[in-house]
Amino acid sequence: MDAVREKLMEIEAQYDSINEMLMDEEVVRDPARLTKLSKEQAGLKQSVDAWHQLKELDDRISQADEMLKENDEDLREMARMEKEECEPEREKLLERIQHLLIPRDPDDDHDVIMEIRGGAGGDEGNIFAGDLYRMYTKYAESKGWKVQVLEASPSEAGGFSQIIYSVKGNDVYRELKFESGVHRVQRVPKTEAQGRIHTSTATVLCQPEAEAADIEIDPKDLTIETHRASGAGGQHINKTDSAVRIVHIPTGITVNCQEGRSQIENRETAMRLIRARVYEEYKRRQEEEEGKIRRAKIGTGDRSEKIRTYNYPQNRVTDHRIGLTITQLDRIMEGRLDGIVSGLLEEEEKRKLEETQL
């Protein structure tokens, strides 16, 4: 209990400190810093409010205990009634506080950049990549999120060999961060004449879209080249140097963008991708150095990890990391992912709660 109080006092001090910074003229003139601090403060508000409620309840219980020492029976009865009201309320509040004190992923409120690639299975893997993209866009629609395609390589048989897109909205990364990995599909492909079930895969990578305040990339660390776009994409293809390739020298991360209608558009998209990938890489390195890759994480987040199987003949989807099976694959492919997302978030909360042991 002392540990809980100490943590709440720390949070309150942090909240008050941010409040003072938000009134500083330099911060007010810096929109990026102002936004970041406002978000940080908003994330602490529930804990601060709960701390104030806890102190109030403790005061009421303490006063009731003093009244119980009085000789007046009426006063003692009032004290008993006060304690009967306050103590269960306090227990519920303490339970809520335990959940509020679970460390929040600082990237949870970020937008995301998602990349889906067709994997094993040739054409069928690409078709499945298209099905996953449709599933995620339907889910995004249900949440009121905005989807923007950044790069796409359509497959002749349908779907995509690769598609990269951004998703903007509230708590997008929080809900989609567990989607990275290998998604496996078991079904009869349209091209299968004998009706045999095939297993194919597609890989998904979900990264938080880094904001300017999250990471500063030195322009000297970048090599930027322009070249002529190749493949299908419109009349401008192979006529102008509209495609842009950017290499981040310290990490070797490379992106190539050619889907935009101009060099400026492709450069903008390439910078968004570089920022997201470099941010993710630095975060991964920091976690390794600090030993933060712990059991609280659900899976590795690596795109080579098999995370989920979509079985069409049995209308079943299974998430292998938490042993969750849902026999409503048809609904899930229409973007009704809430059951899977909530299951993963509950497991994350459970593991973090075990780790905090406050």
Side-chain angles (χ1 to χ4, degrees):
M1 185 57 202
D2 287 341
V4 172
R5 288 176 176 280
E6 283 176 23
K7 185 65 179 173
L8 288 169
M9 287 168 72
E10 283 174 22
I11 290 170
E12 184 178 37
Q14 190 181 351
Y15 183 89
D16 291 340
S17 174
I18 293 171
N19 205 39
E20 285 182 22
M21 283 190 274
L22 287 171
M23 290 185 282
D24 188 296
E25 285 185 14
E26 283 188 22
V27 173
V28 172
R29 287 195 296 266
D30 185 344
R33 194 175 174 207
L34 186 67
T35 301
K36 189 174 183 183
L37 285 170
S38 297
K39 278 186 177 181
E40 194 178 336
Q41 189 188 49
L44 300 173
K45 191 174 187 308
Q46 285 191 63
S47 296
V48 172
D49 289 345
W51 171 227
H52 292 162
Q53 289 171 35
L54 181 62
K55 286 195 289 186
E56 184 188 333
L57 284 169
D58 282 346
D59 285 345
R60 286 169 62 185
I61 290 169
S62 179
Q63 288 170 18
D65 285 336
E66 288 300 314
M67 287 168 66
L68 283 171
K69 297 173 185 176
E70 297 289 336
N71 292 325
D72 191 315
E73 180 57 34
D74 288 339
L75 280 177
R76 289 202 298 272
E77 180 60 27
M78 283 174 63
R80 282 192 286 270
M81 289 172 67
E82 180 75 352
K83 287 193 73 171
E84 282 174 12
E85 181 186 333
C86 291
E87 286 178 343
E89 194 178 330
R90 185 174 178 276
E91 286 303 309
K92 282 183 184 177
L93 182 61
L94 283 172
E95 190 177 331
R96 180 166 165 264
I97 285 170
Q98 287 280 5
H99 289 273
L100 287 172
L101 293 183
I102 293 171
R104 180 177 166 87
D105 186 333
D107 292 328
D108 275 356
D109 61 354
H110 280 50
D111 299 326
V112 305
I113 290 177
M114 293 191 77
E115 179 182 341
I116 306 175
R117 289 185 189 175
D123 288 343
E124 175 63 8
N126 293 339
I127 291 168
F128 182 49
D131 293 338
L132 289 177
Y133 170 67
R134 181 178 178 274
M135 176 185 79
Y136 289 128
T137 54
K138 288 275 187 184
Y139 184 62
E141 282 173 20
S142 73
K143 294 285 180 178
W145 298 339
K146 184 182 176 184
V147 174
Q148 178 192 5
V149 175
L150 303 176
E151 284 285 302
S153 301
S155 167
E156 287 183 13
F160 302 93
S161 58
Q162 180 188 46
I163 183 164
I164 303 172
Y165 60 98
S166 67
V167 187
K168 293 183 177 291
N170 293 325
D171 283 349
V172 180
Y173 185 70
R174 176 177 179 266
E175 300 208 19
L176 294 178
K177 63 185 171 184
F178 302 117
E179 296 306 306
S180 292
V182 176
H183 295 242
R184 182 172 62 176
V185 63
Q186 295 172 328
R187 65 185 177 189
V188 179
K190 293 174 184 175
T191 53
E192 170 58 55
Q194 297 179 24
R196 289 176 299 188
I197 295 171
H198 287 226
T199 298
S200 307
T201 63
T203 59
V204 175
L205 182 63
C206 176
Q207 295 178 313
E209 180 159 11
E211 298 164 6
D214 294 322
I215 184 169
E216 189 176 335
I217 296 178
D218 190 333
K220 293 175 186 174
D221 289 339
L222 299 176
T223 299
I224 302 175
E225 302 170 351
T226 58
H227 60 96
R228 292 191 177 182
S230 59
Q235 293 182 355
H236 72 297
I237 293 297
N238 293 325
K239 292 183 181 177
T240 60
D241 290 345
S242 60
V244 175
R245 181 184 296 110
I246 300 181
V247 180
H248 183 252
I249 299 163
T251 60
I253 292 169
T254 303
V255 300
N256 186 69
C257 293
Q258 64 176 40
E259 294 298 308
R261 306 306 298 177
S262 69
Q263 190 185 115
I264 293 171
E265 196 177 322
N266 284 325
R267 185 182 174 119
E268 233 172 61
T269 300
M271 279 304 301
R272 286 174 69 183
L273 295 178
I274 275 286
R275 195 181 291 116
R277 290 178 187 176
V278 171
Y279 175 70
E280 186 82 349
E281 174 60 19
Y282 283 162
K283 191 175 72 168
R284 184 192 65 77
R285 290 181 185 183
Q286 187 181 357
E287 283 181 341
E288 283 186 354
E289 284 172 14
E290 296 177 1
K292 283 186 179 176
I293 299 177
R294 305 168 298 191
R295 59 196 174 95
K297 295 192 80 170
I298 299 173
T300 62
D302 191 281
R303 71 184 313 154
S304 65
E305 181 188 14
K306 288 184 176 67
I307 63 166
R308 200 172 294 152
T309 296
Y310 303 73
N311 185 303
Y312 274 72
Q314 296 178 21
N315 195 35
R316 182 185 72 217
V317 62
T318 300
D319 193 289
H320 305 295
R321 296 163 296 180
I322 57 173
L324 174 68
T325 296
I326 299 174
T327 52
Q328 292 182 328
L329 176 58
D330 51 341
R331 290 166 62 86
I332 285 163
M333 297 311 292
E334 287 299 316
R336 298 180 185 180
L337 289 168
D338 300 271
I340 294 176
V341 171
S342 61
L344 288 161
L345 287 172
E346 283 169 17
E347 180 64 21
E348 179 192 42
E349 187 172 294
K350 178 184 164 189
R351 293 187 189 188
K352 283 184 175 179
L353 197 56
E354 287 171 358
E355 284 219 330
T356 55
Q357 294 181 337
L358 286 173

